[in-house]
Amino acid sequence: MTELVLAHDYLVQVGGAERVVAEWAAGFGATQIVALAYRPEKTFEAFRDLEVRASIPVAMSGQVERMLPALPAIAARTTVSGGDVALASSSGWAHRFRYEMPHVVYVHSPARWLYAADDYRLRLSRVRRAGLALSTPVLRRGDAEAMARATAVVANSEVTRERIRAAYGLDSIVVHPPVEPVATDAAPPTRDLPDGFAVVVARDRGYKNVRLAVDAAREAGLAIVAIGAGSEAIDDPKSGVHGLGRVSDAELCWVYRHASVVLGAGREDFGLTVLEAALEGTPAATIAAGGYLETVRPGVSGVYATSGTASDLAEAIGFARALDPAVVREWGQRFRRDAHVARLDRLIHEVVQRA
């Protein structure tokens, strides 16, 4: 039996990439994961059942994103061992680890701080932006060399496949992420919410475009619930904006089930949340770009806005709300974990046989 070791950039948040790794642990029965940093209280509970090996001490793990200048060196010294093959989840770091066995790299996106700098640098100070700009050529060379060492490269979407080709000159195989209901039992949030509302699930970062989702919901005459780290900053219940911050999976499930529509306004590589909502019968209204072109089927599971403006997204909200929840749910079922694991398992066995 092939022993699989998992790897991930760092386990310090609740995000789509972390949820994918949690599904891998369940789907493959993996017991080991290697990461740069781990904060059990900040990420999915599923990781507490695994043997997590982190390179950065717990006391410093909360500052991992501030450690950018040192992370390439730390990643290069992070050893992945103890198995027959490794499956790495990377948005910029895990493919740089030192692998002592064949390894498959599953790319959520080439590192935004190197290849989508305008998005990433919005969050940095002027000094840090200048420093990153100066070091980018050297960092890109090291990044490309690390990716080229992968035994196989997998993209989470066609969008990401094109970005991998542009960044590294490598071809990759597309395997959509696994999507499961976020919880089996739903629990209402501690705060009362209105009967009809839209929901956006995203950390409040520039490329996520949460503000556009808020403006569109308002224009459509809907209250909006924003979920994700940083959404507390836009909390304004009197104006119909409910920024809940991080919530439990059971609470997120409740919100998905009771929302009139889920919004996608950011430049996503895949767009996991619209499928999580689809499994609960909730349609999507999104911009017609990025991963949403693969995760939303117009007229079936959602509606695309005709442009990236609040008014056009508001119009899409109106059309999406009329879709049949049963048909929406059926679309979401196409992306369940079993199909994802079966495809990756075949690829992993091919990698082991070639090694």
Side-chain angles (χ1 to χ4, degrees):
M1 184 176 178
T2 301
E3 185 171 357
L4 179 69
V5 180
L6 303 180
H8 183 61
D9 297 342
Y10 35 77
L11 299 169
V12 299
Q13 62 192 12
V14 173
E18 289 74 28
R19 192 176 290 280
V20 167
V21 179
E23 294 295 346
W24 286 350
F28 287 105
T31 60
Q32 302 178 67
I33 183 166
V34 178
L36 287 177
Y38 178 43
R39 299 186 70 189
E41 76 284 3
K42 293 291 186 180
T43 190
F44 293 105
E45 291 186 9
F47 298 127
R48 299 179 189 181
D49 296 328
L50 304 183
E51 176 192 339
V52 180
R53 303 195 298 271
S55 299
I56 296 172
V58 174
M60 300 173 63
S61 61
Q63 303 297 316
V64 64
E65 290 194 344
R66 296 179 178 273
M67 299 171 64
L68 178 59
L71 289 183
I74 297 173
R77 293 197 298 270
T78 297
T79 300
V80 182
S81 59
D84 300 307
V85 63
L87 177 58
S89 158
S90 182
S91 299
W93 298 111
H95 66 284
R96 290 172 171 258
F97 295 172
R98 183 186 300 162
Y99 291 89
E100 296 185 349
M101 73 278 272
H103 63 290
V104 175
V105 177
Y106 188 88
V107 182
H108 302 280
S109 174
R112 288 187 179 275
W113 51 276
L114 285 179
Y115 305 103
D118 290 343
D119 289 338
Y120 185 86
R121 291 173 189 169
L122 290 173
R123 303 162 46 232
L124 302 180
S125 67
R126 183 178 300 176
V127 172
R128 293 180 71 200
R129 283 199 300 270
L132 183 55
L134 288 172
S135 59
T136 289
V138 173
L139 291 171
R140 280 186 175 180
R141 282 197 296 274
D143 188 65
E145 289 168 1
M147 189 65 76
R149 290 195 292 270
T151 315
V153 179
V154 181
N156 69 347
S157 68
E158 291 292 343
V159 172
T160 301
R161 183 182 186 184
E162 291 305 314
R163 290 178 179 170
I164 291 169
R165 186 178 287 117
Y168 305 114
L170 298 174
D171 198 10
S172 55
I173 302 164
V174 175
V175 179
H176 290 136
V179 185
E180 292 289 299
V182 295
T184 53
D185 297 315
T190 54
R191 177 195 296 185
D192 289 336
L193 298 175
D195 290 336
F197 59 86
V199 61
V200 59
V201 183
R203 295 185 296 279
D204 192 16
R205 294 182 172 179
Y207 68 91
K208 298 289 187 179
N209 220 352
V210 172
R211 311 291 168 148
L212 173 59
V214 169
D215 291 343
R218 282 173 166 168
E219 190 155 339
L222 273 179
I224 184 167
V225 174
I227 291 175
S231 62
E232 305 95 327
I234 60 173
D235 185 42
D236 186 7
K238 289 183 179 179
S239 68
V241 181
H242 302 265
L244 302 187
R246 284 187 57 195
V247 300
S248 68
D249 283 350
E251 290 170 325
L252 177 58
C253 182
W254 188 96
V255 171
Y256 278 146
R257 289 182 184 177
H258 289 80
S260 300
V261 62
V262 61
L263 302 186
R267 297 186 294 278
E268 293 289 351
D269 307 300
F270 181 65
L272 182 68
T273 61
V274 299
L275 289 172
E276 291 176 344
L279 288 173
E280 306 301 335
T282 301
T286 74
I287 60 172
Y292 295 130
L293 298 177
E294 296 169 67
T295 56
V296 175
R297 175 165 286 183
V300 174
S301 70
V303 176
Y304 294 136
T306 54
S307 78
T309 64
S311 60
D312 283 341
L313 185 55
E315 184 178 26
I317 289 172
F319 289 123
R321 294 180 69 184
L323 296 177
D324 183 347
V327 176
V328 173
R329 193 174 291 109
E330 184 179 351
W331 168 256
Q333 294 287 339
R334 299 175 181 226
F335 294 83
R336 295 292 294 267
R337 181 177 66 206
D338 288 351
H340 169 91
V341 168
R343 285 202 66 191
L344 273 186
D345 191 51
R346 287 194 296 270
L347 177 61
I348 288 167
H349 279 293
E350 289 173 6
V351 165
V352 172
Q353 290 173 0
R354 291 200 306 262

